[in-house]
């Protein structure tokens, strides 16, 4: 019942400024065909998955200016099988040092395509963190990696997600902090809510909530029709 009331409330109130807009991750997300992010300081979220082995997903920050903050967080949904899944997060670009995150350079070379003149900063922490609850889709995540730095030069930077152990599974990459929601984005929230909950494998509870909403909607229509008929009959 609390969940039902929560969803009904969302349909009436505007979304607060903590929800990241979803990125289109339908493209291959390779170094040659990355997911392109043209406004990297706006808040974005990529719901994606690694295929395993040497798979790497690349996200291109297309227009970074010298001194721009680059802010990214890597999370995984709270699903039992992902409790030990710790994908790594790397930033590649001009002016960066080489920080391997404890990985051997040959390991990095086997995963990442580092172009001449690029440095790389890798976040590869295995530390556990408190569960993060996302209230608007009512899903939970384990934070894995956090990257924040100031761009030392202007140009193109790449965020890369990979699993040094070769595992493959779901992850969420959150980028930027500035919220930019338009009217059409609010109208798409029910679709986003459904997609995110399916991604987080909350099928059963999602079907229950949707069923309650559908029942409440049709009950309301039936009551309105009945009231109209009674009023017309009198």
């Amino acid at each position: 019942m609390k969940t039902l009331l929560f969803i009904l409330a969302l349909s009436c109130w505007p979304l607060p400024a903590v929800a990241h807009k979803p990125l289109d991750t339908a493209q291959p997300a390779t170094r040659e065909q990355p997911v392109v992010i043209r406004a990297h300081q706006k808040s974005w979220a990529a719901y994606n998955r690694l295929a395993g082995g040497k798979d790497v997903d690349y996200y291109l920050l297309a227009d970074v200016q010298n001194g721009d903050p680059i802010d990214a967080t890597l999370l995984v949904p709270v699903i039992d099988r992902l409790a030990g899944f710790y994908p790594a997060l790397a930033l590649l670009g001009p002016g960066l040092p080489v920080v391997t995150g404890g990985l051997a350079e040959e390991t990095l070379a086997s995963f990442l395509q580092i172009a001449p003149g690029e440095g790389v900063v890798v976040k590869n922490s295995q530390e556990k963190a408190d569960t993060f609850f996302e209230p608007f889709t009512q899903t939970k995540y384990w934070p894995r990696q956090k990257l924040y730095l100031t761009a030392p030069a202007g140009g193109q930077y790449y965020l890369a997600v990979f699993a040094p152990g070769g595992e493959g599974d779901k992850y969420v990459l959150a980028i930027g902090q500035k919220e930019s929601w338009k009217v059409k984005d609010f109208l798409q929230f029910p679709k986003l809510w459904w997609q995110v909950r399916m991604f987080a494998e909350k099928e059963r509870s999602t079907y229950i909530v949707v069923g309650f909403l559908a029942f409440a909607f049709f009950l309301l229509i039936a009551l309105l029709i009945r009231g109209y008929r009674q009023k017309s009959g009198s």
Side-chain angles (χ1 to χ4, degrees), residues 4-230:
L4 175 59
L5 293 174
F6 180 84
I7 299 300
L8 289 172
L10 282 177
S11 67
C12 301
W13 294 339
L15 286 174
V18 297
H20 285 55
K21 292 175 65 175
L23 283 167
D24 181 2
T25 57
Q27 52 266 61
T30 61
R31 173 87 191 213
E32 295 75 21
Q33 294 180 280
V35 177
V36 179
I37 304 169
R38 302 194 181 279
H40 69 278
Q41 294 190 54
K42 291 183 179 180
S43 61
W44 302 97
Y47 297 86
N48 214 337
R49 70 179 301 146
L50 294 171
K54 297 297 182 180
D55 188 29
V56 182
D57 287 342
Y58 286 89
Y59 300 84
L60 171 61
L61 309 182
D63 187 23
V64 178
Q65 304 299 313
N66 187 359
D68 278 357
I70 298 177
D71 189 347
T73 303
L74 188 61
L75 312 98
V76 300
V78 174
I79 302 171
D80 288 345
R81 70 171 187 276
L82 299 183
F85 183 46
Y86 286 82
L89 177 63
L91 179 69
L92 298 82
L96 293 173
V98 175
V99 180
T100 67
L103 298 174
E105 291 191 10
E106 55 267 26
T107 299
L108 286 184
S110 70
F111 279 95
L112 301 178
Q113 301 175 43
I114 305 174
E118 286 184 337
V120 57
V121 175
V122 178
K123 297 296 182 178
N124 185 40
S125 173
Q126 302 292 310
E127 294 183 3
K128 294 183 178 181
D130 292 337
T131 300
F132 168 71
F133 177 68
E134 202 290 295
F136 310 108
T137 57
Q138 294 190 302
T139 50
K140 295 180 180 180
Y141 302 90
W142 286 308
R144 290 310 191 220
Q145 316 298 341
K146 173 68 177 176
L147 186 150
Y148 183 88
L149 54 77
T150 300
Q156 293 186 340
Y157 288 76
Y158 291 84
L159 287 165
V161 179
F162 64 101
E167 307 94 334
D169 220 311
K170 298 178 178 181
Y171 68 85
V172 180
L173 178 62
I175 302 164
Q177 294 293 335
K178 295 181 180 179
E179 305 301 332
S180 180
W181 285 84
K182 299 179 180 179
V183 173
K184 64 178 182 180
D185 299 316
F186 288 90
L187 296 177
Q188 292 177 353
F189 178 74
K191 178 182 177 182
L192 172 62
W193 177 84
W194 175 275
Q195 291 175 335
V196 171
R197 290 185 63 82
M198 291 297 106
F199 179 85
E201 301 182 12
K202 299 293 185 182
E203 292 92 345
R204 182 177 179 181
S205 58
T206 302
Y207 294 145
I208 291 173
V209 171
V210 172
F212 270 121
L213 288 174
F215 174 77
F217 174 78
F218 287 112
L219 178 61
L220 176 62
I221 295 298
L223 291 174
L224 289 174
I225 293 174
R226 180 181 178 184
Y228 174 78
R229 288 177 175 175
Q230 289 177 344

